Amino acid sequence: MSLLSVENVSVSYGKVEAVRGVSLSVEAGRVATVIGPNGAGKTTLLTAVMGLLPYKGRILYDGMDLSKLDVEARVERGLCLVPEKRELFSEMSVSDNLILGAYSRRDRNNVARDLDAVYDRFPRLRERRSQLAGTLSGGERQMLALGRALMTKPRLLMLDEPSLGLAPLIVREIFHVIGSLRDLGVSLLLVEQNARAALETADFGYVLETGELASAGPSKDLIHDPRLIATYLGEH
Amino acid sequence: MTLEIAAILGIDGVANGAIYILVAIGLVLIFTVTRVIFVPFGDIAAFTALTLAALENRQVPGTISLVIALAVIAALIEVVSLVRRGDLHAVPRALLFYLGLPLLVVALVRFGIGFELPMAARIALAILLVLPIAPLLDRIIFRPIADASVLLLLIVSVSLHFALSGLGLLFFGPEGVRTQPLTEAAFDVAGILISGQTILIVVTSVIFSIGLYLFFDYTLTGKALHATAVNRTGARLMGIRPARSGAIAYILGSLMAGTSGVLIAPVNTIFYDSGFLLGLKAFVGAIIGGLVGYPSTALGALFVGLLESFASFQSSALKEVIVFSLLIPILIWRSLASTHSEEDIEE
């Protein structure tokens, strides 16, 4: 059974329909990606799944209709979004940011252990744990956003443009970490403009164009699709 | 002005300032978490004093009717909104918080009136009875417009103050009250008499400031409140409910306002509308501190207290004018000195 299934979902900003009748699913333990150009509605879709925007259609998570749950209740059930703007607590320390990631968890006894695990995954964060989040570099901020999301103990982690604005070397590091999250049993929904890196990480891909699904398929097929190569991927 | 007079004015000013610190920090706490400049805050302080005076005379304080009325309205609103959303299993919990707890406090106070209580117990009951007012008002008035602009929230907040002082007149009547002194002790320090009351005020203010610092730095709830103030969306994404943070901020703030009411009532005659000036002066202090940090707010409030004390020596009639005129140069200075970050503009 799919962990997340989005069924015929539309999202509007006033009269403008940014997402139209999109259906997609994320299987448990798998990585799915949504690629597409700027303004295709990728961020809007994630924001709606998280509950920050009203939508039409149906979104099922673990077989449960999400429409009655607010953002906080979705977080309690293991849904987590790392937004494009990261939304860190910039005037608070790195360690406070991470500790707050575990705010809604019931298993308080495991929090210290998980904090250690996040520091092991991102040694840079351990070095800077007492520094204010606002003083971190772009790459470190993304690591903190990812670390904070992991502290929520997500079952489905949604990442919006994790590579945006980062140096190529850091992008590689971030994607390496994203790939390794699979081992934790976390399912991922990844939204990216960096289509090649996203498809190389994901099992399944969706292409969104002007609010509608243009194509979908296993990543290894999409990566060889001549039309996608021409528009998004370029020659390797 | 001799040195001795300056010292006396200084001590007086510090005591005033310490009161303003309590109210100003509460104001900043509520503002940063909810973006509401809670103008009726001074009213909460005045209502505490009036409640305490009624308890001393073993009368039923008007606060009881006020709390019951607010609790019933808030519970109705909450239940209707839950039923509309189809969230029926949350109804008992909502009834407990919005109706059960306030009524429990009311029952406790009502029961307490029957006995000759010691002063500490009376004070505790008075503060306890006032605590639900601000969170209930938040639920009734501010929660439905939580996403409105700061200006709109401020306008609503000002009108709420006028509504509350009207209710104050209705529930407490027009008579002023003065409560029993908290302590008769006085100390002679280098020829200057310092009253125990003054020392009590300053010590209480220091204890609250330190307590708040510890709360924000060492508890998860405190950090969650801070996080809500820093970034609401970020907080929601971590499962922190802004509405809950707001309620905690209102309760904590009311605790501070209530305490300040208890501290000033023995030395000032308090009327149903006395809270306004207190709140406004604390607000000036908070503005001087930039409405953000707690240490800067405390310094701002202390400055207002000292200024008021020295101004009243120069010209008692003009002391309010001097304190409030201070706002103009300070706002000009702040608007010139503050740099707008990119994030501020985005919002």
Side-chain angles (χ1 to χ4, degrees):
Chain A
M1 193 181 67
S2 308
L3 183 61
L4 178 78
S5 73
V6 171
E7 296 168 7
N8 198 19
V9 162
S10 303
V11 189
S12 311
Y13 296 101
K15 282 183 181 160
V16 186
E17 214 168 34
V19 170
R20 276 190 305 273
V22 169
S23 298
L24 59 82
S25 63
V26 183
E27 305 300 315
R30 295 299 175 88
V31 180
T33 185
V34 179
I35 57 175
N38 239 339
K42 306 186 298 288
T43 298
T44 305
L45 184 65
L46 286 195
T47 313
V49 172
M50 199 60 220
L52 288 163
L53 276 178
Y55 57 85
K56 285 194 216 106
R58 208 157 76 118
I59 302 179
L60 294 177
Y61 167 74
D62 202 13
M64 170 175 43
D65 190 345
L66 283 183
S67 62
K68 276 183 189 159
L69 299 180
D70 58 8
V71 180
E72 295 84 353
R74 294 177 200 208
V75 175
E76 280 163 19
R77 286 165 179 74
L79 212 65
C80 185
L81 169 68
V82 178
E84 195 182 312
K85 283 161 77 184
R86 328 293 198 228
E87 306 288 2
L88 296 171
F89 307 122
S90 53
E91 289 159 41
M92 302 177 79
S93 70
V94 166
S95 68
D96 279 353
N97 269 271
L98 292 174
I99 288 167
L100 283 167
Y103 176 81
S104 54
R105 277 172 55 176
R106 304 248 158 94
D107 55 332
R108 305 304 313 171
N109 297 333
N110 299 330
V111 171
R113 192 199 63 203
D114 289 355
L115 183 64
D116 237 25
V118 167
Y119 282 144
D120 288 342
R121 200 175 283 274
F122 302 105
R124 285 279 274 287
L125 294 183
R126 178 176 278 145
E127 283 167 32
R128 297 181 190 261
R129 61 180 179 271
S130 45
Q131 210 170 308
L132 294 186
T135 65
L136 298 178
S137 72
E140 289 161 351
R141 290 166 74 96
Q142 184 58 50
M143 289 176 198
L144 179 56
L146 275 174
R148 190 180 65 168
L150 288 177
M151 290 299 290
T152 68
K153 211 171 182 187
R155 291 178 65 202
L156 176 66
L157 182 57
M158 300 187 283
L159 304 175
D160 195 0
E161 305 279 3
S163 73
L164 193 75
L166 301 181
L169 208 65
I170 311 224
V171 171
R172 205 178 307 161
E173 198 179 329
I174 295 282
F175 270 101
H176 177 73
V177 171
I178 292 171
S180 73
L181 293 181
R182 220 192 273 258
D183 308 333
L184 290 178
V186 179
S187 313
L188 282 173
L189 180 56
L190 175 65
V191 156
E192 257 296 337
Q193 282 197 56
N194 186 342
R196 181 170 293 281
L199 287 176
E200 279 169 0
T201 312
D203 305 296
F204 207 87
Y206 297 90
V207 183
L208 206 60
E209 281 171 6
T210 58
E212 285 173 347
L213 220 50
S215 61
S219 304
K220 58 181 191 302
D221 297 346
L222 289 180
I223 217 161
H224 299 298
D225 184 329
R227 201 184 73 85
L228 287 185
I229 292 174
T231 22
Y232 302 118
L233 299 169
E235 291 304 326
H236 195 42
Chain B
M1 188 188 295
T2 63
L3 205 61
E4 197 189 335
I5 293 176
I8 292 171
L9 289 177
I11 290 165
D12 202 34
V14 169
N16 284 343
I19 293 282
Y20 297 149
I21 286 175
L22 280 175
V23 181
I25 288 183
L27 269 175
V28 173
L29 174 69
I30 292 175
F31 174 69
T32 50
V33 175
T34 66
R35 303 180 309 128
V36 174
I37 295 171
F38 196 61
V39 182
F41 215 52
D43 298 316
I44 302 286
F47 286 3
T48 316
L50 292 161
T51 306
L52 182 59
L55 290 179
E56 280 176 359
N57 299 327
R58 297 187 62 181
Q59 294 164 344
V60 177
T63 339
I64 285 191
S65 322
L66 181 64
V67 170
I68 293 176
L70 291 177
V72 169
I73 297 171
L76 267 176
I77 293 179
E78 180 71 14
V79 168
V80 167
S81 83
L82 285 175
V83 170
R84 266 198 197 155
R85 237 193 302 151
D87 213 354
L88 289 174
H89 66 274
V91 169
R93 197 181 152 86
L95 281 176
L96 173 71
F97 275 107
Y98 290 106
L99 198 62
L101 285 181
L103 291 187
L104 183 70
V105 170
V106 164
L108 198 66
V109 173
R110 194 69 195 74
F111 179 70
I113 295 170
F115 300 90
E116 190 65 51
L117 294 169
M119 180 182 277
R122 286 198 302 263
I123 291 173
L125 283 183
I127 292 179
L128 204 59
L129 186 58
V130 165
L131 283 189
I133 296 178
L136 290 172
L137 286 172
D138 170 47
R139 178 62 194 94
I140 298 169
I141 308 215
F142 291 110
R143 197 81 62 78
I145 52 169
D147 295 322
S149 68
V150 172
L151 182 64
L152 188 129
L153 292 171
L154 174 63
I155 294 168
V156 171
S157 183
V158 171
S159 30
L160 179 60
H161 155 72
F162 287 113
L164 266 189
S165 34
L167 289 174
L169 181 59
L170 179 70
F171 287 117
F172 296 105
E175 298 84 18
V177 297
R178 204 176 258 241
T179 56
Q180 292 167 14
L182 297 169
T183 163
E184 304 278 7
F187 305 91
D188 189 327
V189 180
I192 296 159
L193 201 66
I194 302 178
S195 72
Q197 176 81 18
T198 303
I199 293 172
L200 200 63
I201 289 174
V202 173
V203 168
T204 309
S205 177
V206 169
I207 289 174
F208 265 97
S209 305
I210 293 173
L212 212 59
Y213 168 77
L214 295 176
F215 171 69
F216 278 115
D217 261 35
Y218 292 99
T219 68
L220 190 63
T221 309
K223 284 176 183 173
L225 240 64
H226 189 185
T228 312
V230 172
N231 185 337
R232 278 173 90 80
T233 309
R236 295 196 70 192
L237 289 174
M238 297 300 112
I240 301 165
R241 289 171 201 278
R244 182 180 297 175
S245 297
I248 295 171
Y250 275 109
I251 291 175
L252 269 180
S254 301
L255 181 65
M256 302 179 84
T259 307
S260 73
V262 169
L263 290 171
I264 51 169
V267 281
N268 293 291
T269 306
I270 303 290
F271 296 89
Y272 69 95
D273 62 350
S274 296
F276 190 52
L277 271 185
L278 172 67
L280 215 52
K281 283 177 194 156
F283 180 59
V284 173
I287 292 277
I288 295 174
L291 268 178
V292 277
Y294 298 103
S296 58
T297 301
L299 283 178
L302 194 62
F303 178 69
V304 170
L306 284 168
L307 183 76
E308 188 188 10
S309 169
F310 282 92
S312 64
F313 178 73
Q314 295 301 334
S315 165
S316 172
L318 288 180
K319 72 169 187 180
E320 321 287 17
V321 178
I322 293 173
V323 169
F324 293 124
S325 307
L326 186 72
L327 259 185
I328 298 168
I330 281 176
L331 284 177
I332 293 174
W333 164 65
R334 286 222 76 97
S335 66
L336 292 177
S338 73
T339 48
H340 295 280
S341 69
E342 227 171 281
E343 275 175 50
D344 285 340
I345 295 165
E346 238 172 70
E347 287 170 11

